[in-house]
Amino acid sequence: MSLKEKDPEIYSLVRKEMQRQQECIDLIASENYAPPEVLEATGSVLTNKYSEGYPGKRYYAGNEFIDQVETLAIERAKKLFGVDHANVQSHSGSTANYCAYSALVPAGETIMGMELSQGGHLTHGSPVNFSGKTYKVVSYAVDKKTEMLDFDVIRKQAVEHKPKLIICGYTAYPRTVHFDKFREVADACGAYLLADISHIAGLIAGGAHPSPAKYADVITTTTHKTLRGPRGAIIMCKAEFAQMIDKSVFPGAQGGPLDHVTAAKAVCFHNAMQKDFSDYAHQIVKNAKVLAEELHAKGLRLVSGGTDNHLILVDLTPMGITGKDAQIALEKAGIICNKNTIPYDTQKPFVASGIRLGTPAMTTRGMKESEIKEVATLLMKGLHKRTDDAALASIKEEVKALCSRYPVYKEYTH
Ligand code: DSN
């Protein structure tokens, strides 16, 4: 019996969500459309299996094929990112970071990461997260004027506080992350260097952003953002940390791995090794640059003045709108983005002065520079007409028309 017959309520909600994804312009920088083959692997019978342990060393029988799936995922991840070791079992980016930190740094020691409100992540030392509760935290920020990283300041902080671990890689930093410079800083204070490349993994895989492989001791990444795989994460590291990382994931933090997700991760790594993925990654960046140029030309203030990667952070203060109000108005117009704090924001995170915009999902739909210009026009209309519900509803029709020219999941009828 199909889902439709067995559970029409959930079936109908899944269909509605698929329709919403088809008909909206998704500018959430951390979202993407996983291809059908990734969805198929994620929805496979591999979900039935228990396989605590690692390939060849499991606590349950019956893992002949699961071992091969996980080994393929590991080998593909190693090849794709040029690393010594990969653990592909992490359920999420947050648990990946938890496992990586606990492998390297005893509780109570000092770690250093970018402050959440500046573009970091909860797990990079926020006081409300395990990272801020388990460790002493030194937070770094962007320069107030350039809104970019200042390595003189970061180095000074590192040398003064001597963290055991430095974290680089962000959720709302529109500029290139210079992993080589972070390596120098880490060496200057004797810290491990962890690169959390969750946002830019696809760009790195496709050669559209420098790789941390040569510089970082440990690399964590989610697999569902620019990498366009299933929701999940992996940890990669130098050979010397392999055993510590594996132990930290299992039995340290997790029980049975999600074998269906592991299979889908393997599929996404395979996809990311193809030439068309490299084209995709470069197009994401081109599209982000065009979106930035258009929005700037139409009068918006962009944090740091532009972008080098897949995302743009817009400061709406000069327009007299909060991020929250912009997010709500744009959703009414069928444009999905998230409110986001800007560096040195005076608003609370739930209100925020900015919105974060990303191009990975729209690039997956096949949109290029000229369509992105249409997106910029629709977005600006939405901001200007933010209090006019009828105008927003009419923009939503324009959004639908644009989206219908770039359908996703044409043949997928789950
Ligand atoms: N929630 C993710 C993002 O949107 O950047 C980070 O975990």
Side-chain angles (χ1 to χ4, degrees), residues 28-31 93-94 120-123 170-172 196 198-199 222 224-225 231 310-311 338 340 356:
I28 292 183
S30 49
E31 292 187 0
S94 295
H121 186 253
L122 268 176
T123 58
Y170 315 103
T171 66
D196 178 345
S198 294
H199 263 257
T222 50
H224 50 273
K225 298 186 174 93
R231 191 159 289 277
H310 63 301
L311 72 84
N338 66 282
N340 213 102
R356 186 184 64 166

Side-chain angles (χ1 to χ4, degrees), residues 93-283:
S94 295
T95 53
N97 282 347
Y98 172 79
C99 294
Y101 304 173
S102 23
L104 299 174
V105 190
E109 296 281 0
T110 303
I111 62 168
M112 181 166 156
M114 190 196 261
E115 205 181 298
L116 177 59
S117 63
Q118 295 263 328
H121 186 253
L122 268 176
T123 58
H124 297 180
S126 163
V128 296
N129 180 259
F130 82 83
S131 51
K133 293 179 198 233
T134 313
Y135 301 105
K136 291 190 202 104
V137 175
V138 181
S139 293
Y140 60 92
V142 294
D143 178 73
K144 230 174 186 164
K145 201 154 160 243
T146 62
E147 298 174 312
M148 296 194 210
L149 296 170
D150 179 337
F151 282 92
D152 290 337
V153 175
I154 292 170
R155 188 191 164 94
K156 226 185 241 169
Q157 271 183 291
V159 169
E160 185 187 340
H161 296 282
K162 297 198 175 27
K164 290 275 183 294
L165 174 75
I166 296 178
I167 303 147
C168 59
Y170 315 103
T171 66
Y173 184 63
R175 296 299 181 176
T176 301
V177 184
H178 297 285
F179 298 113
D180 51 344
K181 291 188 184 167
F182 271 107
R183 180 73 260 170
E184 283 169 27
V185 172
D187 287 344
C189 67
Y192 295 120
L193 180 64
L194 183 144
D196 178 345
I197 60 167
S198 294
H199 263 257
I200 52 174
L203 303 186
I204 292 168
H209 186 287
S211 165
K214 247 178 35 200
Y215 305 107
D217 298 299
V218 177
I219 302 169
T220 57
T221 183
T222 50
T223 46
H224 50 273
K225 298 186 174 93
T226 46
L227 207 47
R228 218 163 48 179
R231 191 159 289 277
I234 61 171
I235 307 176
M236 298 171 278
C237 61
K238 292 182 179 164
E240 62 193 285
F241 304 112
Q243 241 191 340
M244 288 153 73
I245 291 289
D246 282 353
K247 272 193 184 159
S248 185
V249 174
F250 173 82
Q254 294 185 176
L258 311 176
D259 297 315
H260 53 306
V261 180
T262 302
K265 287 173 185 170
V267 173
C268 109
F269 302 147
H270 175 75
N271 285 349
M273 281 185 241
Q274 311 308 313
K275 161 82 175 81
D276 61 351
F277 192 87
S278 167
D279 297 341
Y280 166 63
H282 285 90
Q283 190 64 47

Side-chain angles (χ1 to χ4, degrees), residues 142-147 292 295-306 312-319 342-345 353-355 357 380 383:
V142 294
D143 178 73
K144 230 174 186 164
K145 201 154 160 243
T146 62
E147 298 174 312
L295 296 178
H296 176 70
K298 292 176 194 305
L300 292 189
R301 191 187 94 74
L302 310 182
V303 169
S304 83
I312 297 157
L313 194 55
V314 181
D315 174 10
L316 294 168
T317 321
M319 268 191 100
I342 57 165
Y344 307 99
D345 209 326
S353 295
I355 48 173
L357 308 172
M380 286 310 294
L383 289 180

